Amino acid sequence: MTKKELALEIIERLKREYPDAGCTLDYNEAWKLLVSVRLAAQCTDARVNVVVQDLYAKYPDVNALAEADVDDIEAIVRPCGLGRSKARDISACMKILKEEYGGKVPDDFDALLKLPGVGRKSANLIMGDVFGKPAIVTDTHCIRLVNRMGLVDGVKEPKKVEMALWKIIPPEEGSDFCHRLVYHGRDVCTARTKPHCEKCCLSDICAKTGVEA
């Protein structure tokens, strides 16, 4: 089985296993996902979803957050860790959205990368979830699982994993595939315990079944 054939089989099985998988960050506007994904660095999505409720209650739109004092933002987002740097990035990002994009999030990958605190993972998430464009989000779950499954071979650098996956994952499947990897990585192919291979829908085709990667 080639890597592309393996990828297609994995995609189909994960679709059956997690038919409704989607982004685990709560948002109803593009700019809120931009804020949440920055806060999610080294923090759980569940905690971010709680913290942003207070942030949006005080600053309900891009303009309000752009005009907010960085110290006030930091006071709210501190439970997510790295509060100072995250608050600075969020403030700077909202100012750019307000001044250069009329309060809207740009739908261009390169433009997103120029925003403070936005890397390839964040830009891909926004391109896929907000704008419905081809995207591959190489978070820790994705990197761990695609190495274990044999879709990539010992590649841990996020951009290299992303580039390798673009070659074998159909563009229209990338975003949902990565969301399903998050669910599978949390429930079955876990990081902090031995993977639960006995209940994995991929156990018969996984390259490293039962082996810690």
Side-chain angles (χ1 to χ4, degrees):
M1 189 182 292
T2 66
K3 280 185 168 55
K4 186 170 287 189
E5 290 169 340
L6 177 62
L8 292 175
E9 181 62 25
I10 289 172
I11 286 169
E12 290 308 310
R13 292 192 189 191
L14 291 180
K15 277 184 181 179
R16 292 195 293 269
E17 198 76 6
Y18 310 100
D20 302 317
C23 183
T24 51
L25 290 167
D26 295 336
Y27 71 97
N28 56 8
E29 295 180 73
W31 69 271
K32 291 182 178 180
L33 181 56
L34 200 56
V35 170
S36 289
V37 76
R38 180 65 187 98
L39 293 176
Q42 299 182 42
C43 180
T44 65
D45 290 359
R47 175 171 287 184
V48 171
N49 289 338
V50 172
V51 169
V52 293
Q53 293 179 30
D54 291 336
L55 186 67
Y56 301 150
K58 189 169 183 179
Y59 307 110
D61 54 41
V62 170
N63 288 347
L65 199 49
E67 294 167 5
D69 188 279
V70 173
D71 289 339
D72 293 336
I73 298 174
E74 182 185 359
I76 297 173
V77 305
R78 190 176 292 119
C80 293
L82 305 173
R84 189 63 183 172
S85 63
K86 290 180 179 181
R88 280 199 305 262
D89 283 344
I90 289 169
S91 175
C93 191
M94 294 302 112
K95 283 180 167 64
I96 292 173
L97 293 188
K98 176 187 174 183
E99 295 165 6
E100 298 184 22
Y101 296 102
K104 304 295 184 182
V105 175
D107 63 352
D108 178 79
F109 187 80
D110 291 329
L112 287 170
L113 286 181
K114 293 177 182 177
L115 296 175
V118 177
R120 296 188 67 86
K121 181 180 77 171
S122 303
N124 269 300
L125 181 66
I126 291 163
M127 291 298 286
D129 276 47
V130 174
F131 300 113
K133 296 187 177 182
I136 290 178
V137 182
T138 50
D139 62 5
T140 55
H141 290 292
C142 174
I143 294 169
R144 183 177 76 255
L145 268 62
V146 297
N147 272 280
R148 284 179 175 172
M149 294 168 179
L151 293 179
V152 301
D153 302 310
V155 183
K156 300 297 174 71
E157 201 272 303
K159 184 176 180 180
K160 290 182 180 178
V161 172
E162 180 191 335
M163 294 302 109
L165 292 177
W166 278 119
K167 296 176 182 177
I168 59 174
I169 303 292
E172 69 277 9
E173 298 285 359
S175 182
D176 288 342
F177 171 65
C178 292
H179 285 321
R180 291 186 174 100
L181 290 180
V182 172
Y183 282 71
H184 197 62
R186 289 176 178 173
D187 297 341
V188 180
C189 199
T190 51
R192 295 183 180 178
T193 64
K194 186 177 179 180
H196 303 292
C197 300
E198 72 283 352
K199 64 176 183 178
C200 179
C201 63
L202 307 171
S203 60
D204 61 314
I205 58 171
C206 178
K208 297 182 179 177
T209 296
V211 178
E212 190 68 32

